[in-house]
Amino acid sequence: MEVIYSHLAYVGGVRAWRSLLAGVLLACLSACSSLVNEPTPPVPVPPVAQVVTPKPPPKPPRIGLALGGGAARGFAHIGVLQVLEENGIKPDLVVGTSAGSVVAALYAAGKTPTELGSMAMTLDESSITDWVFPGRSFLKGEALAKFIRVQTAGKPIEAMRLPLGIVAADLKSGQAVLFRRGDPGTAVRASSAVPAVFEPVKMEGREYIDGGAVSPVPVRFARQMGAELIIAVDISAIPEGQPTKGAVDILLQTFNIMGHAISQHEMADADVVVRPKLQGVGSADFSARRLSILAGREAMLTVMPQLRERLAARTR
């Protein structure tokens, strides 16, 4: 019996341990179940940094400079360029007619306004004149072409520091022609070939004369070359009061009368018009160089506020 009781006690103990172990397991499973079912708290996500793209700097308009014809009065263009440079305004392209083509070619080639001023004051007029009278004209014009070639270091028009346009007129068709390539000396000579003063210039079977006959202030050609803001410099002589004593004076005055009427229409498309006060300075008066340069400076200074206003309005 004692053995039986011992066996029963042992069995009862095992059953008790089994019950206890089962209870512990049930408790663990219940705890795990509650842990599994309990919602996981959201993990905080740091805010995404806002990327700010900087705005591109304002883009100024492309400035075109249209330099008009006027023979010896063309020295005024230098004064205009000097004031522009002093105010930090640099044209993006330049186009010229007649005297304007001379200054345009030199400036486009890299001559600074200061250098142009020094060149003007030391220029020997005889170095750009080659008389051929009698004949179709008084002057041949090849001396002027040679001068331009030397001063532009033999560069073709398309290789200039600035885009350059030179305007002449086709003698046969009467159409305006814009030279954008080739020899600048020949193009300037053609653009400056005032009828009966200079010989017409022959190129590829055609003859060309002074661009002032068709475009005294080449505003439309500056626009054609891509200018978005045009500064037009009008140095044409006001017809009244100009000298008419000699044959050359009469020819130039005739050109002034025609050019004055034509230029008024074309300059309506310019954004800023500069008109140097050159009363009393004749188109053949090379002795008034300093006066012409100063007149150009004064005229440009006068319109500088207007130019700055236009630049500000066009900057985008």
Side-chain angles (χ1 to χ4, degrees), residues 43-66:
V43 178
V45 179
V48 178
Q50 193 172 22
V51 179
V52 178
T53 304
K55 292 183 179 180
K59 183 182 178 182
R62 197 159 188 249
I63 301 174
L65 188 61

Side-chain angles (χ1 to χ4, degrees), residues 6 28 57 191 226 238 258 283:
S6 297
C28 288
S191 181
I238 298 174
M258 293 187 300
S283 298

Side-chain angles (χ1 to χ4, degrees), residues 122-185:
T122 58
L123 177 66
D124 181 2
E125 186 183 343
S126 64
S127 67
I128 57 173
T129 55
D130 43 7
W131 297 94
V132 293
F133 186 78
R136 296 177 73 188
S137 63
F138 295 108
L139 300 170
K140 184 177 181 181
E142 184 53 38
L144 174 61
K146 182 180 178 180
F147 172 80
I148 295 296
R149 292 186 195 109
V150 170
Q151 296 301 327
T152 57
K155 297 177 184 177
I157 294 173
E158 63 271 21
M160 296 295 185
R161 181 181 63 88
L162 284 180
L164 169 66
I166 296 173
V167 179
D170 186 311
L171 181 59
K172 185 174 182 179
S173 69
Q175 296 297 311
V177 178
L178 179 67
F179 292 105
R180 296 289 311 278
R181 303 182 63 83
D183 173 33

Side-chain angles (χ1 to χ4, degrees), residues 74-83 103 113-114 116-118 120 293 296-297:
F75 292 108
H77 291 314
I78 298 173
V80 170
L81 286 169
Q82 288 176 348
V83 172
V103 177
T114 300
L116 290 173
S118 298
I293 292 173
R297 288 184 60 86

